[in-house]
Amino acid sequence: MASLLFYILGFIMLTATLLCITRRNPVHAVIYLVVGFFALALMFYLLGAPLVAAWEVIVYAGAIMVLFLFIIMMLGLAPQELPEGPNWHRWGPLVLLSSSLMACTLLLIFQDPAATEIIGTYYLAPQELGEALFGRYALAVEVVSFQLLFASIGAYMLGRSLPKEDDES
Amino acid sequence: MNDLVQNALLNVNIAAILPSLILVCFGMGLLLINVFLPRGTTRHAVWISLIGLAVTGFFVYTGWGNPQYGFNDAVAMDNFAAFFSITFLVCAALTILMSDDYLRREGYPVSEYYPLILFATAGAMWMASGTDMMTIFLGLEVMSISLYVLAGFFRGQVKSNEAGLKYFLLGAFSTGFLLYGMALIYGVSGSTRLTEIGVYLKTHASLLDNPMTLAGLVLLSTGFLFKIAAAPFHMWAPDVYEGAPTPITAFMSAGPKAAAFAAFLRVMEYCFFTLKPEWTAMLWVLAVLTMVVGNVIAIRQTNIKRMLAYSSIAHAGYVLVGMVAANEIGYSGILFYMLAYTFMNIGAFAVLVLAGKKGEDNLTLEGLSGFGFKKPFLGVAMTIFLFSLMGLPPTAGFAGKFYIFAGAIKAGYIWLAVIGVLNSAISLYYYLRVMVYMYFRDPEEDYAWVAMPGAVVVTIIIAIAGVFYLGIMPGEVMELAKQAVF
């Protein structure tokens, strides 16, 4: 069962990301990417890492993709005129992919959690993940926190207004 | 729960990350000070960063011969890391010394520039001291992100923007390779600790033929070779080096390159010693390719910054020869060579900083016509650095090449050493051409050269001293380098 789901999810993920990078309309591309992230989250769940699956949905499919959409809207990259007619070829693939994703999700939800077989060899409980992060990988967590600071300084440097030419005269 | 906290605290060993910690603290302190000072004041930043580098250097120096391991073996401040750290600190200090006047001349007196250099240096130190894939990867990212910003620092100049964006896109792409390689190796061995991976691969010999191990090894090498700018992953280097501000070009071509070599060397030696015949064979081909591509394309360049970019590719090829040799003298030769290269390359770029005119870099060969007579000191300094880059005695370049090729010969790679020496001969042509323009051509137009600010002159004098010290008395430093290798 689980391995069958794995292949279905893999297919959904690959198709969605492939469609994502081939779409001309950036909004469509983002929607396909969201589908890809959801499939990835389910895959993490199947592999025995429920916390990572939740993060995938909350952080990537949720926060980051909303930010993407927001920037696309703000920069006015989305096409202005709406095409005529039902346009099956445009949203048909999306409906197929997301409904099969929905089916997989429902299947996993209504299954008894104790009976769910996982593909991975190890079930990663959230507590263990936390212990690893702040024990074995403590230094890495610290360096990441430094790095966020550097990255924000860099973004500020590149994003702020240019120095005036006539300042020095 | 209490056990967890106690265990975590037991593994904290501040001594293992003390130098980089001090450097980062200085950088953050500097950022804080900048807030309270008016825009455009940068002198204090130069001094504070130099003091920070000196203090860090002192702690690296006192830690010599007393290796510190910490954070569950995620980081090791051993002699190897200490030697490379000194190289990065020298590189950062020389870069900062020559930067201030250049930034003022170009109209970007921005003090955030200095913390970014300190952060890049700290990242490089994490790369050299990392004994865990995660530490090495994050060190690389810290270093690269600072460098992406620094490469695109002159926001009003199209070339600098191009350099920043190109470096960012290709850097992100190559980081993907590196991370993919690390993930595959983690998948094979179940650990990110370098020593654990090495032991696991040794005890499970059947894994060595596993395509996943080999794919991981190749992808990991690709990531590092990109940072080193070895052919065929060198395409970004000339454009980025040309467009970036000249002091940053100097910094990028010495410090981060040494950091990538340090991490590459440690990963190969700790994890993949069981696969040595495979990776030395791979690096043999790449070393030859890198040397030939760098030197042959450099001949055609008329822009000196581009020429030095290709020459830096060629030098990466020479250093790869030391990795192929994979013996004590080859490895310590790499350490020695990176230090020597820091002095000679940064010196050459410091001369280029003073060869410019305001608002416009004067970097073509034609532009240097008669330079040697107009500015005798700079002419002589440039000649010394070029001699060192060629590898002529009594300069540091000669000693470095001598050790590396000696290592190759000792390991039985006679042909590789021969190809290396032939490549050095090719490089004579384009280095000598710069001198021909400096001394045997009359300037076409008479223009006012920029004044010589004291700080840049000090940079050049330190670099000359380094080149001659390492060239005439290489024994002492080489002895330290020998203590530093595994």
Side-chain angles (χ1 to χ4, degrees):
Chain A
M1 223 301 273
S3 53
L4 182 69
L5 268 182
F6 178 83
Y7 285 111
I8 294 173
L9 286 171
F11 176 77
I12 294 174
M13 200 162 74
L14 285 178
T15 321
T17 35
L18 201 68
L19 284 166
C20 164
I21 57 172
T22 49
R23 292 308 92 183
R24 282 183 173 278
N25 185 333
V27 180
H28 292 187
V30 168
I31 300 291
Y32 279 115
L33 199 56
V34 171
V35 174
F37 279 138
F38 269 110
L40 192 62
L42 281 185
M43 210 173 247
F44 275 125
Y45 180 78
L46 275 180
L47 284 169
L51 190 63
V52 182
W55 285 347
E56 188 74 31
V57 173
I58 297 168
V59 177
Y60 284 93
I64 292 182
M65 283 303 114
V66 170
L67 200 68
F68 262 49
L69 270 181
F70 178 69
I71 288 167
I72 288 168
M73 305 279 179
M74 197 172 73
L75 298 179
L77 294 175
Q80 297 300 316
E81 60 223 56
L82 289 170
E84 302 266 320
N87 271 304
W88 281 104
H89 66 284
R90 274 178 189 250
W91 51 277
L94 185 67
V95 170
L96 276 178
L97 286 177
S98 40
S99 52
S100 40
L101 200 58
M102 189 73 177
C104 293
T105 318
L106 287 176
L107 202 67
L108 283 171
I109 288 175
F110 288 112
Q111 217 173 25
D112 180 19
T116 313
E117 39 173 341
I118 53 169
I119 310 172
T121 49
Y122 191 76
Y123 182 81
L124 181 73
Q127 191 191 345
E128 276 175 276
L129 193 66
E131 281 176 23
L133 275 183
F134 291 99
R136 200 170 158 78
Y137 294 105
L139 185 67
V141 173
E142 293 303 315
V143 175
V144 168
S145 65
F146 275 137
Q147 192 179 358
L148 288 176
L149 174 75
F150 308 158
S152 57
I153 295 163
Y156 158 73
M157 280 303 311
L158 292 182
R160 77 177 185 185
S161 56
L162 281 171
K164 292 276 190 312
E165 276 296 317
D166 51 13
D167 267 3
E168 50 200 276
S169 58
Chain B
M1 193 60 206
N2 259 334
D3 283 1
L4 182 64
V5 175
Q6 270 167 4
N7 274 338
L9 283 178
L10 269 182
N11 286 312
V12 172
N13 180 6
I14 295 292
I17 55 162
L18 188 61
S20 43
L21 203 60
I22 291 171
L23 204 55
V24 170
C25 288
F26 265 93
M28 290 194 291
L30 194 52
L31 281 174
L32 206 61
I33 292 170
N34 286 342
V35 177
F36 299 104
L37 290 175
R39 233 169 158 179
T41 47
T42 51
R43 292 275 180 224
H44 70 284
V46 177
W47 284 110
I48 293 175
S49 350
L50 286 177
I51 292 169
L53 290 168
V55 173
T56 314
F58 173 76
F59 279 102
V60 173
Y61 174 76
T62 51
W64 181 268
N66 176 22
Q68 295 288 334
Y69 306 91
F71 297 94
N72 269 318
D73 270 344
V75 66
M77 196 68 206
D78 46 10
N79 283 357
F80 179 78
F83 193 100
F84 270 108
S85 297
I86 293 288
T87 308
F88 308 144
L89 293 172
V90 167
C91 177
L94 292 180
T95 308
I96 286 172
L97 261 179
M98 76 161 115
S99 293
D100 193 37
D101 297 291
Y102 182 73
L103 293 181
R104 280 171 189 285
R105 201 170 84 207
E106 299 288 325
Y108 289 85
V110 180
S111 45
E112 275 81 8
Y113 176 93
Y114 301 97
L116 283 172
I117 290 186
L118 296 189
F119 293 152
T121 312
M125 287 164 77
W126 281 321
M127 275 179 85
S129 59
T131 48
D132 184 295
M133 294 278 193
M134 296 286 278
T135 317
I136 290 176
F137 175 74
L138 290 170
L140 180 92
E141 278 302 284
V142 167
M143 184 183 84
S144 305
I145 287 180
S146 310
L147 283 178
Y148 300 149
V149 178
L150 287 170
F153 199 77
F154 288 171
R155 282 185 36 228
Q157 293 181 7
V158 179
K159 275 206 162 166
S160 181
N161 290 342
E162 183 200 341
L165 190 64
K166 203 169 228 172
Y167 194 32
F168 171 65
L169 289 177
L170 289 173
F173 193 57
S174 81
T175 306
F177 278 106
L178 187 72
L179 198 56
Y180 204 175
M182 286 178 176
L184 286 181
I185 296 298
Y186 177 67
V188 169
S189 64
S191 176
T192 54
R193 299 281 187 267
L194 300 187
T195 39
E196 286 175 17
I197 295 171
V199 170
Y200 193 86
L201 287 181
K202 198 180 171 194
T203 46
H204 298 71
S206 63
L207 281 175
L208 297 184
D209 294 330
N210 191 329
M212 210 154 113
T213 317
L214 293 176
L217 172 64
V218 169
L219 288 170
L220 207 60
S221 313
T222 307
F224 285 124
L225 288 166
F226 177 90
K227 286 287 164 203
I228 292 164
F233 313 109
H234 65 282
M235 307 308 271
W236 59 276
D239 293 333
V240 174
Y241 285 14
E242 189 191 351
T246 309
I248 292 307
T249 311
F251 183 69
M252 271 199 289
S253 62
K257 188 172 277 197
F261 266 115
F264 196 21
L265 209 55
R266 205 192 275 270
V267 167
M268 287 307 186
E269 198 52 40
Y270 276 36
C271 302
F272 300 112
F273 57 89
T274 35
L275 281 166
K276 211 170 221 174
E278 278 81 1
W279 60 259
T280 46
M282 178 179 80
L283 290 181
W284 194 101
V285 177
L286 288 174
V288 171
L289 195 66
T290 309
M291 286 190 287
V292 171
V293 165
N295 279 318
V296 169
I297 303 182
I299 290 177
R300 289 179 50 86
Q301 304 304 318
T302 52
N303 180 311
I304 298 179
K305 239 168 142 182
R306 274 189 97 80
M307 186 206 89
L308 283 175
Y310 280 107
S311 120
S312 133
I313 294 169
H315 282 275
Y318 301 138
V319 178
L320 280 177
V321 170
M323 270 193 84
V324 175
N327 50 15
E328 192 199 10
I329 188 159
Y331 283 167
S332 43
I334 293 178
L335 269 62
F336 183 90
Y337 200 89
M338 287 323 298
L339 186 61
Y341 187 69
T342 301
F343 281 118
M344 58 199 185
N345 211 38
I346 290 192
F349 277 110
V351 174
L352 279 190
V353 164
L354 292 187
K357 291 173 273 185
K358 182 176 160 48
E360 167 193 9
D361 285 337
N362 175 27
L363 296 165
T364 54
L365 278 172
E366 298 285 336
L368 280 190
S369 302
F371 183 63
F373 292 113
K374 292 271 173 202
K375 293 271 177 186
F377 168 69
L378 294 181
V380 170
M382 191 67 171
T383 311
I384 292 169
F385 297 133
L386 290 176
F387 272 133
S388 185
L389 286 167
M390 281 176 214
L392 297 183
T395 56
F398 170 75
K401 271 186 192 152
F402 176 80
Y403 286 128
I404 281 184
F405 292 149
I409 289 170
K410 205 174 167 198
Y413 294 102
I414 310 287
W415 275 107
L416 191 59
V418 170
I419 295 170
V421 173
L422 282 178
N423 268 290
S424 302
I426 296 176
S427 73
L428 287 184
Y429 174 79
Y430 58 84
Y431 291 132
L432 278 176
R433 206 169 49 156
V434 177
M435 285 181 221
V436 168
Y437 273 93
M438 281 198 314
Y439 285 108
F440 297 100
R441 297 277 175 99
D442 292 325
E444 281 161 16
E445 40 163 340
D446 216 21
Y447 46 74
W449 300 92
V450 292
M452 292 210 289
V456 189
V457 174
V458 171
T459 315
I460 293 172
I461 290 172
I462 294 173
I464 291 177
V467 163
F468 278 127
Y469 175 69
L470 292 178
I472 297 171
M473 289 180 285
E476 289 176 31
V477 177
M478 192 59 188
E479 200 48 51
L480 293 178
K482 274 187 183 155
Q483 290 170 20
V485 293
F486 323 107

